[in-house]
């Protein structure tokens, strides 16, 4: 029984190791700035940022323009030191040109 418990806990540890994480304060600032470069208009809010632990060059964020404006989920990729939109929408995340493992890690379950 002890061996089974140790194996199960080990597997849970591996699964937990491949889960997105909260950004550092610097990453959050950079991701917010990068996201707003690709959003048109004023009043965009960027929240719920997660950084992939599978590949730290990818992140996700919720975006919304004002209180009642349009919104969606954005997947960003770090290129040349700047975060760029890789995908923006409310569905179809699995069609993004992003590695499947990264999409799964960010919670899109493709």
């Amino acid at each position: 029984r002890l061996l089974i418990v140790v194996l199960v806990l080990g597997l849970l540890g591996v699964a937990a190791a491949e889960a997105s994480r909260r950004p550092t304060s610097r990453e959050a600032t950079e991701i917010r700035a990068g996201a707003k470069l690709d959003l048109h208009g004023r009043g965009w809010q960027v929240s719920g940022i997660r950084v992939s632990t599978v590949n730290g060059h990818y992140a996700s964020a919720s975006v919304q323009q004002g209180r009642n404006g349009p919104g969606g989920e954005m997947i960003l990729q770090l290129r040349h030191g700047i975060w760029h939109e890789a995908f923006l929408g409310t569905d179809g995340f699995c069609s993004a040109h992003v590695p499947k493992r990264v999409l799964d890690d960010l919670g899109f379950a493709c």
Side-chain angles (χ1 to χ4, degrees), residues 31-69:
I31 290 168
R32 280 188 185 93
K36 290 179 181 180
L37 290 174
D38 293 309
L39 297 168
H40 303 286
R42 295 177 152 205
W44 285 97
Q45 297 174 358
V46 180
S47 62
I49 300 171
R50 301 295 296 174
V51 177
S52 173
T53 56
V54 171
N55 183 336
H57 285 91
Y58 289 95
S60 65
S62 297
V63 297
Q64 180 153 359
Q65 190 174 28
R67 244 179 210 215
N68 300 316

